[in-house]
Amino acid sequence: MSALPGSIPARGRARPIEVALLASVFVVAACGLLYELAAGAIASYVLGDSVLQFSTIIGSYLFAMGVGSWLSRHFERQLPAHFLRIELLVALAGGLLPALLFLANAFAPASFRVVLYGLVLVVGVLVGLEIPLVMRILRRDVQLRELVSQVLTFDYLGALAVSLAFPLLLVPQLGMVRTGLVFGLMNAAVAVWALWLFRHELRRWGAHAAACAFVLAVLAVGWALADRVTTLAEDRLYADRVVLAQTTPYQRIVVTHAPGEGRPGHRLFLNGNLQFAERDEYRYHEALVHPVMAAHGAPKKVAVLGGGDGMAVREILKYPSVEQVTLVELDPAMTELFTRHPQLAALNGHALTSPRLRVVNTDAFRWLDETSDTFDVIVVDFPDPTNFSIGKLYTLSFYALLEKRLTASGYAVIQTTSPLVARRSFWTVVQTIEAAGLTATPYHAHVPSFGEWGYVIASRRPWRLPRALPEELRYLTPHTLALLFDFPADMARVPAEVNRLSNQVLVHTYEAEWGRVHE
């Protein structure tokens, strides 16, 4: 008996087509997970709290896939044609998802969540339709037991490949927008393959071919305009001209520049959050470094945790007694950027090329746990606790490790958000440091780009006001330093919980307090 035109032939001759169909399962699974990861990552960039964003994105996406799988039962005839059309829709919606989300955040920030979850649900439903249709097409010739095991195997392999490639290769090399477009093109390629494979079954073959050509053209144009889309979105998001933008496995780095008298100059943003402005960063970093360095007297070994921009290292190197500075920065792109970029390296006085400096690119929590070194001064300059991965660096467990790495007469200092805007968050850090058995000495400084900003000194011995400071400072003097330790009534201490790894209350408190500011 001869096979029907376009149908899968008898078992002995089915291998090439069967393998091709299973390969499409691999691609479909890889693309589906990629869109899910992209939505979660962009939501984390824009909305913060990566655990919450990924949890809600994954939950919504899986729910939508379930809806898609349920809807697949209503597709009874012309399954290859339905599969082809769904692939083209996934290619468009998924491939353009990162670009659409960036544009939505730039031009309609109030509607960002609506666009985000709308796209997640649409793509999820479409992806949920794909695998059931492939299985029903394969069922023509493959026994059910083999069919399920083979399809699930290729499905999981595709998910594994993307989960590894997304943070390590795709986003760092291509950026988020082009990564989405690449996988959109892969979905479109599956549609083109289906167009050829089932050419004898498809009705209106010319219309399907035209649809494939249209989707490929749209994605190709998107690829050509990817840099312009990213620039347009970020120029709209940031007040000043974007001069550098880079996505790393850890964060989105953006540097803007506004030259001229009274303008902020260069500004650094990590995941959309301001880290410093050239105009007044000296206030922040002098207040961070010199109260502990000068109080120690003659520090020899100093560690900086975070602070990959090198500004804190610049201030530390003003002390001749310092023999070695260890800078622990998670993201090697940060230390590379502020070492090699001429304008940015000039801001830190080329401190990152100092022979007294040792750079370690690793997680600070892990480094504290594994190192046996002790230090006279430890400067902790992490971003604010906007999510749980950063929040762990403000916990009791972290400060217990910090205490072990201080010499008997050593001091640590921790940047600790605004005691005016995020008052309870600030005092939560103080409470947590004290729970670790350290003496906490809080203070604050006015940094125009941030407003009132807080710091906490942690030590085994009481901190005492130093008698002298380096002469070349632009902000601090012995007189003004003393004033930083006076808290007015609206920043005075309030009751706060200890921030533990098991509860991460600081992340929730911080989000609530700063969220009121942005409403």
Side-chain angles (χ1 to χ4, degrees):
M1 181 183 295
S2 60
L4 293 174
S7 64
I8 296 180
R11 181 65 183 165
R13 289 170 287 164
R15 274 296 174 197
I17 296 178
E18 181 184 328
V19 170
L21 277 168
L22 290 172
S24 75
V25 173
F26 180 91
V27 174
V28 164
C31 294
L33 181 60
L34 185 283
Y35 304 140
E36 184 179 358
L37 292 173
I42 295 171
S44 298
Y45 291 167
V46 175
L47 303 174
D49 194 348
S50 58
V51 172
L52 174 63
Q53 304 312 325
F54 271 99
S55 295
T56 55
I57 292 297
I58 291 172
S60 301
Y61 195 79
L62 291 177
F63 166 76
M65 288 179 65
V67 172
S69 296
W70 180 81
L71 290 174
S72 68
R73 64 194 294 184
H74 299 291
F75 294 83
E76 296 178 355
R77 300 178 180 178
Q78 287 290 304
L79 296 183
H82 290 310
F83 176 70
L84 187 153
R85 295 179 197 125
I86 289 167
E87 284 302 298
L88 292 177
L89 290 173
V90 173
L92 278 178
L96 297 175
L97 181 145
L100 292 174
L101 288 180
F102 279 125
L103 291 172
N105 183 51
F107 291 93
S111 303
F112 177 80
R113 281 186 172 87
V114 175
V115 176
L116 170 66
Y117 287 99
L119 285 171
V120 166
L121 292 174
V122 168
V123 174
V125 168
L126 293 171
V127 171
L129 286 165
E130 291 174 311
I131 298 299
L133 291 181
V134 171
M135 291 181 70
R136 289 168 64 186
I137 294 170
L138 277 167
R139 195 174 61 184
R140 298 173 179 181
D141 189 64
V142 182
Q143 293 182 358
L144 181 61
R145 183 175 61 184
E146 292 185 15
L147 172 64
V148 173
S149 65
Q150 289 178 0
V151 168
L152 291 181
T153 297
F154 279 83
D155 187 20
Y156 297 149
L157 286 174
L160 173 64
V162 166
S163 65
L164 295 175
F166 180 77
L168 300 177
L169 177 64
L170 296 170
V171 174
Q173 297 298 321
L174 298 177
M176 197 70 74
V177 173
R178 281 205 167 100
T179 295
L181 291 167
V182 164
F183 279 76
L185 288 167
M186 289 170 63
N187 273 123
V190 171
V192 172
W193 164 83
L195 178 70
W196 176 82
L197 181 63
F198 300 106
R199 59 193 181 278
H200 299 299
E201 286 189 58
L202 292 172
R203 300 172 184 173
R204 301 173 61 196
W205 188 90
H208 287 103
C212 290
F214 172 76
V215 171
L216 288 170
V218 170
L219 295 174
V221 170
W223 179 275
L225 298 178
D227 290 336
R228 188 174 298 179
V229 169
T230 304
T231 301
L232 177 65
E234 290 184 332
D235 283 347
R236 181 85 177 189
L237 184 62
Y238 301 104
D240 306 322
R241 183 172 63 92
V242 175
V243 295
L244 187 147
Q246 181 179 354
T247 300
T248 78
Y250 305 102
Q251 58 199 345
R252 176 71 173 170
I253 303 172
V254 173
V255 178
T256 66
H257 188 225
E261 187 69 26
R263 304 294 299 281
H266 289 92
R267 293 199 293 177
L268 171 68
F269 295 84
L270 299 181
N271 293 340
N273 298 309
L274 178 65
Q275 302 302 304
F276 74 75
E278 180 181 358
R279 175 181 58 190
D280 54 23
E281 60 79 16
Y282 69 92
R283 280 179 161 251
Y284 171 89
H285 290 101
E286 287 185 13
L288 174 69
V289 169
H290 295 290
V292 289
M293 290 292 291
H296 186 279
K300 293 183 178 181
K301 289 183 65 179
V302 180
V304 180
L305 311 184
D309 53 40
M311 308 297 184
V313 176
R314 176 195 66 200
E315 298 301 318
I316 290 166
L317 292 176
K318 292 177 180 178
Y319 292 81
S321 65
V322 173
E323 297 175 356
Q324 184 185 70
V325 182
T326 301
L327 173 61
V328 183
E329 165 62 47
L330 177 63
D331 193 346
M334 277 289 293
T335 48
E336 182 76 12
L337 181 62
F338 281 84
T339 299
R340 299 188 180 280
H341 190 284
Q343 285 77 32
L344 300 180
L347 293 181
N348 62 41
H350 301 279
L352 297 185
T353 60
S354 171
R356 290 187 282 172
L357 178 69
R358 179 171 70 102
V359 177
V360 180
N361 293 122
T362 190
D363 179 79
F365 202 116
R366 182 188 306 167
W367 180 81
L368 278 180
D369 189 33
E370 294 176 353
T371 188
S372 59
D373 291 344
T374 57
F375 299 87
D376 300 314
V377 171
I378 302 177
V379 176
V380 183
D381 190 19
F382 297 131
D384 276 10
T386 54
N387 57 60
F388 292 114
S389 60
I390 301 176
K392 74 175 185 179
L393 304 173
Y394 289 82
T395 59
L396 179 63
S397 301
F398 181 82
Y399 295 135
L401 291 174
L402 192 70
E403 188 269 342
K404 293 179 181 179
R405 301 298 158 234
L406 282 174
T407 59
S409 59
Y411 292 110
V413 60
I414 299 101
Q415 87 80 16
T416 321
T417 197
S418 171
L420 180 63
V421 175
R423 186 176 175 184
R424 190 172 299 277
S425 298
F426 178 84
W427 293 106
T428 294
V429 176
V430 174
Q431 183 76 20
T432 305
I433 290 171
E434 291 175 343
L438 293 163
T439 299
T441 308
Y443 64 103
H444 61 98
H446 183 71
V447 182
S449 293
F450 298 120
E452 288 296 326
W453 209 253
Y455 312 82
V456 183
I457 296 171
S459 57
R460 294 193 184 93
R461 57 170 176 159
W463 179 85
R464 286 183 170 80
L465 190 69
R467 295 181 179 179
L469 293 169
E471 295 181 358
E472 64 266 33
L473 301 189
R474 300 169 60 189
Y475 170 50
L476 287 183
T477 66
H479 173 69
T480 57
L481 177 58
L483 301 177
L484 304 187
F485 294 83
D486 181 34
F487 282 79
D490 60 355
M491 294 192 291
R493 187 162 190 165
V494 293
E497 294 183 58
V498 173
N499 187 44
R500 305 177 188 274
L501 273 175
S502 58
N503 61 27
Q504 292 258 24
V505 295
L506 179 61
V507 174
H508 300 295
T509 304
Y510 178 91
E511 184 179 45
E513 290 183 313
W514 280 99
R516 288 196 294 267
V517 175
H518 299 301
E519 288 178 353

